[in-house]
Amino acid sequence: NNGIGDAGAQALASLTEAPSLHTLSLNLSENDVIRDAGAQALASLKEAPLLQTLSLNMFENGIGDAGAQALASLKEAPLLHTLSLDLASNRIGNAGAQALAGLKEAPLLQTLSLDLSNHRIEDAGAQALASLREAPLLQTLSLDLSNNEIEHAGAEALASLKEAPLLHTLSLDLSNTYICVGVQALASLNQAPL
């Protein structure tokens, strides 16, 4: 908790100018002042020409759907193959989850970790995130949706992740959700092709 704020996030976004930057990890957790404007500034990291691996810990920063929508534009980073976004305990709802599902369009993305725990995400958001199965090169997916408002339809949609053509490692955290009936659908994950 260093009070970095929007201005600090904007300054960090200037890292896009580092000519040989290919790996970046930023822990900006518990600032609660970065908010959407700071997330929008950090989304400009997509312009770093050689960026391959990006980890942003933005836990508890007051980021809402607009910030999530901006971060989804990281799909435009031309060489990005590994992305970790810790957005736990912010203010993201279905619209933000739907935008983040657009990361499936990142052309080289192989490893994706999304922590969206402690939000207002419902079935519509989970259904959108299930479309990550369409990411052409995705091999490893970690999706934390714990402490959200996901029910049967969301769990059923997430079970379709087994259809991802190259996915060999999947971690789903749906603890403290409302998926009672949806557990049966998730059990079908054990039928994913090897």
Side-chain angles (χ1 to χ4, degrees), residues 39 42 52 78 92 94 99 102-103 105 115-116 122 125 128-129 138 153-154 158 165 171-172 174 180 186:
L42 289 167
Q52 298 173 20
I92 297 171
N94 289 330
L103 291 168
E105 298 168 12
D115 186 340
L116 296 171
E122 300 169 325
L129 289 166
L138 191 62
L158 290 167
S171 173
L172 274 178
L174 295 169
C180 299
L186 290 171

Side-chain angles (χ1 to χ4, degrees), residues 158-176:
L158 290 167
S160 71
L161 288 167
K162 69 182 178 192
E163 299 166 12
L166 298 178
L167 191 66
H168 59 71
T169 304
L170 174 63
S171 173
L172 274 178
D173 186 344
L174 295 169
S175 57
N176 294 315

Side-chain angles (χ1 to χ4, degrees), residues 113-180:
S113 176
L114 281 177
D115 186 340
L116 296 171
S117 59
N118 299 311
H119 285 289
R120 305 176 317 260
I121 298 170
E122 300 169 325
D123 286 342
Q127 289 166 333
L129 289 166
S131 72
L132 289 167
R133 70 183 173 277
E134 299 167 14
L137 299 178
L138 191 62
Q139 298 173 21
T140 302
L141 175 61
S142 176
L143 192 54
D144 186 343
L145 294 169
S146 60
N147 296 302
N148 276 286
E149 299 170 17
I150 298 167
E151 297 184 18
H152 174 69
E156 203 166 75
L158 290 167
S160 71
L161 288 167
K162 69 182 178 192
E163 299 166 12
L166 298 178
L167 191 66
H168 59 71
T169 304
L170 174 63
S171 173
L172 274 178
D173 186 344
L174 295 169
S175 57
N176 294 315
T177 59
Y178 305 99
I179 62 164
C180 299

Side-chain angles (χ1 to χ4, degrees), residues 34-43 56 58 61-75 83 85 87 90-103 114-116 119-121 129:
I34 288 181
R35 304 191 194 279
D36 290 337
Q40 290 164 347
L42 289 167
L56 293 176
M58 298 176 71
N61 268 288
I63 296 168
D65 289 336
Q69 290 164 350
L71 290 169
S73 72
L74 290 167
K75 68 185 177 191
L83 177 61
L85 293 176
L87 299 171
N90 280 284
R91 299 178 181 129
I92 297 171
N94 289 330
Q98 290 163 346
L100 289 167
L103 291 168
L114 281 177
D115 186 340
L116 296 171
H119 285 289
R120 305 176 317 260
I121 298 170
L129 289 166

Side-chain angles (χ1 to χ4, degrees), residues 12-13 15 21-29 34 39 42-43 45-46 48 50-59 61 63 71 74 77 79-88 103 109 111-115 142:
L12 287 169
L15 288 168
L21 181 68
H22 62 80
T23 301
L24 177 61
S25 179
L26 291 174
N27 184 346
L28 303 171
S29 62
I34 288 181
L42 289 167
L45 290 168
K46 68 186 177 198
L50 300 177
L51 188 63
Q52 298 173 20
T53 302
L54 177 60
S55 176
L56 293 176
N57 182 343
M58 298 176 71
F59 165 82
N61 268 288
I63 296 168
L71 290 169
L74 290 167
L79 300 178
L80 189 65
H81 61 72
T82 302
L83 177 61
S84 175
L85 293 176
D86 184 343
L87 299 171
L103 291 168
L109 191 62
T111 302
L112 177 60
S113 176
L114 281 177
D115 186 340
S142 176

